[in-house]
Amino acid sequence: MPHTASRFLAEGPRVGIRHFTHEDGAEFTARVRESKDLHHPWLFPPATAEAYTAYAARLIEDPTKAGFLVCEKDGGAIAGYININNIVEGAFLSGALGYGAFAHAAGRGLMREGLGLVVGHAFGPMRLHRLEINVQPGNTASIALARSCGFRLEGFSPDMLYIDGAWRDHERWAITAEMRTSG
Protein backbone atom coordinates (compact mmCIF):
# COMPACT_ATOMS: atom_id res chain seq x y z
CA MET A 1 0.00 0.00 0.00
CA PRO A 2 2.90 2.48 0.13
CA HIS A 3 2.32 5.66 -1.79
CA THR A 4 5.59 6.37 -3.56
CA ALA A 5 4.66 9.34 -5.74
CA SER A 6 4.33 12.02 -3.10
CA ARG A 7 5.83 15.39 -2.46
CA PHE A 8 5.99 16.47 1.15
CA LEU A 9 5.01 19.95 2.28
CA ALA A 10 7.29 19.47 5.27
CA GLU A 11 9.32 16.57 6.57
CA GLY A 12 11.04 15.39 9.69
CA PRO A 13 13.42 12.53 10.32
CA ARG A 14 10.78 9.78 9.92
CA VAL A 15 7.64 11.31 8.39
CA GLY A 16 6.50 13.89 5.90
CA ILE A 17 3.15 15.61 5.51
CA ARG A 18 1.26 16.07 2.28
CA HIS A 19 -2.27 16.93 1.24
CA PHE A 20 -4.96 14.34 0.67
CA THR A 21 -5.59 13.20 -2.89
CA HIS A 22 -8.47 11.20 -4.32
CA GLU A 23 -5.94 8.50 -5.22
CA ASP A 24 -5.24 7.86 -1.51
CA GLY A 25 -8.70 6.34 -1.01
CA ALA A 26 -7.81 2.63 -1.18
CA GLU A 27 -4.91 2.88 1.26
CA PHE A 28 -6.70 5.29 3.60
CA THR A 29 -9.87 3.21 3.89
CA ALA A 30 -7.88 -0.02 4.35
CA ARG A 31 -5.95 1.65 7.20
CA VAL A 32 -9.24 2.85 8.73
CA ARG A 33 -10.67 -0.66 8.68
CA GLU A 34 -7.46 -2.05 10.25
CA SER A 35 -7.67 0.61 12.98
CA LYS A 36 -11.33 0.29 13.97
CA ASP A 37 -10.54 -0.89 17.51
CA LEU A 38 -7.98 1.89 18.01
CA HIS A 39 -10.40 4.60 16.85
CA HIS A 40 -13.56 3.51 18.64
CA PRO A 41 -15.22 5.31 20.41
CA TRP A 42 -13.31 8.50 19.57
CA LEU A 43 -13.15 8.64 15.77
CA PHE A 44 -15.14 7.47 12.79
CA PRO A 45 -13.10 8.25 9.68
CA PRO A 46 -14.39 7.11 6.28
CA ALA A 47 -14.05 3.35 5.77
CA THR A 48 -15.58 2.98 2.29
CA ALA A 49 -14.56 4.31 -1.11
CA GLU A 50 -17.74 6.40 -1.37
CA ALA A 51 -17.29 7.93 2.08
CA TYR A 52 -13.62 8.66 1.40
CA THR A 53 -14.44 10.39 -1.91
CA ALA A 54 -16.84 12.79 -0.17
CA TYR A 55 -14.46 13.31 2.78
CA ALA A 56 -11.42 14.00 0.59
CA ALA A 57 -13.42 16.32 -1.67
CA ARG A 58 -14.34 18.50 1.32
CA LEU A 59 -10.69 18.67 2.44
CA ILE A 60 -9.43 19.40 -1.07
CA GLU A 61 -12.09 21.88 -2.20
CA ASP A 62 -13.27 23.74 0.91
CA PRO A 63 -11.01 26.73 1.72
CA THR A 64 -12.01 26.49 5.40
CA LYS A 65 -10.36 23.06 5.65
CA ALA A 66 -6.87 21.68 5.08
CA GLY A 67 -6.19 17.96 5.24
CA PHE A 68 -2.75 16.43 5.74
CA LEU A 69 -1.61 12.85 5.54
CA VAL A 70 1.27 11.86 7.81
CA CYS A 71 3.38 9.48 5.71
CA GLU A 72 6.37 7.41 6.65
CA LYS A 73 9.41 8.56 4.69
CA ASP A 74 10.60 4.97 4.42
CA GLY A 75 8.12 3.58 1.89
CA GLY A 76 5.46 6.30 2.01
CA ALA A 77 2.83 4.39 4.03
CA ILE A 78 0.11 6.58 5.53
CA ALA A 79 0.64 6.59 9.31
CA GLY A 80 -2.26 8.92 10.13
CA TYR A 81 -4.00 12.13 9.24
CA ILE A 82 -4.36 15.63 10.64
CA ASN A 83 -7.03 18.05 9.48
CA ILE A 84 -7.37 21.75 10.16
CA ASN A 85 -11.09 22.55 10.13
CA ASN A 86 -13.04 25.76 10.59
CA ILE A 87 -10.18 27.92 9.31
CA VAL A 88 -11.05 31.54 9.97
CA GLU A 89 -9.06 34.37 8.45
CA GLY A 90 -9.09 38.07 9.31
CA ALA A 91 -8.39 39.02 12.89
CA PHE A 92 -8.86 35.47 14.20
CA LEU A 93 -6.45 33.47 11.96
CA SER A 94 -7.40 30.22 13.65
CA GLY A 95 -8.29 26.61 12.93
CA ALA A 96 -9.49 23.53 14.78
CA LEU A 97 -7.40 20.36 14.54
CA GLY A 98 -8.65 16.82 14.28
CA TYR A 99 -6.37 13.81 13.91
CA GLY A 100 -6.04 10.08 14.00
CA ALA A 101 -3.21 7.56 13.90
CA PHE A 102 -3.51 4.23 12.15
CA ALA A 103 -2.94 1.03 14.11
CA HIS A 104 0.34 0.07 12.44
CA ALA A 105 1.82 3.46 13.42
CA ALA A 106 0.32 3.91 16.90
CA GLY A 107 2.78 4.36 19.74
CA ARG A 108 5.79 4.94 17.48
CA GLY A 109 5.98 8.76 17.76
CA LEU A 110 5.09 9.27 14.10
CA MET A 111 1.98 11.32 14.85
CA ARG A 112 3.91 13.53 17.28
CA GLU A 113 6.40 14.27 14.53
CA GLY A 114 3.58 14.77 12.02
CA LEU A 115 1.61 17.09 14.32
CA GLY A 116 4.73 19.18 14.85
CA LEU A 117 5.10 19.48 11.07
CA VAL A 118 1.45 20.47 10.61
CA VAL A 119 1.68 23.09 13.38
CA GLY A 120 4.82 24.50 11.74
CA HIS A 121 3.10 24.57 8.35
CA ALA A 122 -0.01 26.23 9.83
CA PHE A 123 2.03 28.95 11.53
CA GLY A 124 4.37 29.28 8.55
CA PRO A 125 2.99 29.10 5.00
CA MET A 126 -0.68 29.11 6.09
CA ARG A 127 -0.06 32.18 8.29
CA LEU A 128 -2.44 31.09 11.05
CA HIS A 129 -2.03 32.40 14.58
CA ARG A 130 -3.91 29.86 16.71
CA LEU A 131 -4.77 26.17 16.56
CA GLU A 132 -7.24 24.39 18.81
CA ILE A 133 -7.81 20.72 19.60
CA ASN A 134 -11.02 19.48 21.20
CA VAL A 135 -10.55 16.12 22.95
CA GLN A 136 -12.86 13.89 24.94
CA PRO A 137 -11.46 13.70 28.50
CA GLY A 138 -11.04 9.91 28.38
CA ASN A 139 -8.97 9.97 25.20
CA THR A 140 -5.64 9.89 27.01
CA ALA A 141 -3.57 9.17 23.88
CA SER A 142 -4.92 12.24 22.09
CA ILE A 143 -4.43 14.43 25.16
CA ALA A 144 -0.85 13.18 25.52
CA LEU A 145 -0.19 14.02 21.87
CA ALA A 146 -1.56 17.56 22.26
CA ARG A 147 0.44 18.13 25.44
CA SER A 148 3.66 16.73 23.93
CA CYS A 149 3.39 19.18 21.03
CA GLY A 150 3.08 22.22 23.30
CA PHE A 151 -0.69 22.72 23.39
CA ARG A 152 -2.07 24.09 26.67
CA LEU A 153 -5.34 23.12 28.32
CA GLU A 154 -7.67 26.11 28.11
CA GLY A 155 -11.01 24.82 29.23
CA PHE A 156 -13.80 22.28 29.37
CA SER A 157 -16.96 22.23 27.26
CA PRO A 158 -19.82 19.97 28.36
CA ASP A 159 -21.88 18.35 25.59
CA MET A 160 -19.71 19.97 22.91
CA LEU A 161 -19.76 17.52 19.97
CA TYR A 162 -22.16 14.82 18.85
CA ILE A 163 -20.06 11.64 18.56
CA ASP A 164 -21.09 7.99 18.54
CA GLY A 165 -24.75 8.73 19.25
CA ALA A 166 -24.40 11.23 22.11
CA TRP A 167 -23.27 14.74 22.96
CA ARG A 168 -19.77 14.39 24.40
CA ASP A 169 -17.79 16.59 26.79
CA HIS A 170 -14.47 17.91 25.48
CA GLU A 171 -11.34 19.51 26.82
CA ARG A 172 -10.11 22.47 24.77
CA TRP A 173 -6.36 22.58 24.04
CA ALA A 174 -4.67 25.36 22.07
CA ILE A 175 -1.36 26.70 20.85
CA THR A 176 -0.47 30.06 19.31
CA ALA A 177 2.36 31.05 17.02
CA GLU A 178 3.97 32.94 19.92
CA MET A 179 3.88 29.87 22.16
CA ARG A 180 5.58 27.87 19.44
CA THR A 181 8.41 30.37 18.91
CA SER A 182 8.97 30.93 22.64
CA GLY A 183 9.70 27.27 23.18
Side-chain angles (χ1 to χ4, degrees):
M1 282 192 251
H3 201 306
T4 56
S6 65
R7 186 171 197 199
F8 295 130
L9 299 165
E11 58 185 279
R14 298 182 299 151
V15 301
I17 58 167
R18 63 178 178 82
H19 288 295
F20 278 73
T21 70
H22 291 288
E23 293 76 23
D24 294 310
E27 181 182 359
F28 189 93
T29 56
R31 299 278 183 210
V32 167
R33 290 187 300 273
E34 293 167 0
S35 305
K36 183 179 177 184
D37 291 341
L38 175 67
H39 292 160
H40 188 268
W42 319 115
L43 301 172
F44 299 90
T48 66
E50 297 78 19
Y52 177 84
T53 297
Y55 179 78
R58 286 189 302 272
L59 292 170
I60 293 167
E61 298 166 14
D62 185 341
T64 68
K65 299 180 184 310
F68 302 93
L69 294 173
V70 177
C71 300
E72 295 182 63
K73 287 173 58 177
D74 183 18
I78 300 172
Y81 61 96
I82 302 168
N83 300 329
I84 306 176
N85 300 299
N86 305 323
I87 297 171
V88 179
E89 295 181 347
F92 200 37
L93 291 174
S94 181
L97 290 175
Y99 48 77
F102 292 128
H104 76 281
R108 295 173 44 203
L110 302 177
M111 287 301 289
R112 183 184 191 287
E113 188 175 320
L115 182 55
L117 294 171
V118 169
V119 170
H121 186 75
F123 292 156
M126 292 180 70
R127 302 184 64 201
L128 294 178
H129 173 259
R130 178 183 173 82
L131 294 170
E132 299 179 7
I133 299 171
N134 297 300
V135 183
Q136 293 179 59
N139 190 343
T140 56
S142 188
I143 291 169
L145 178 58
R147 182 180 286 122
S148 73
C149 288
F151 285 75
R152 68 179 171 218
L153 178 61
E154 290 192 337
F156 179 81
S157 296
D159 301 328
M160 182 178 186
L161 294 172
Y162 193 79
I163 298 173
D164 197 24
W167 289 98
R168 307 288 178 182
D169 299 344
H170 281 72
E171 292 181 0
R172 295 186 322 275
W173 292 78
I175 191 170
T176 64
E178 292 83 5
M179 288 169 60
R180 174 93 177 195
T181 57
S182 69

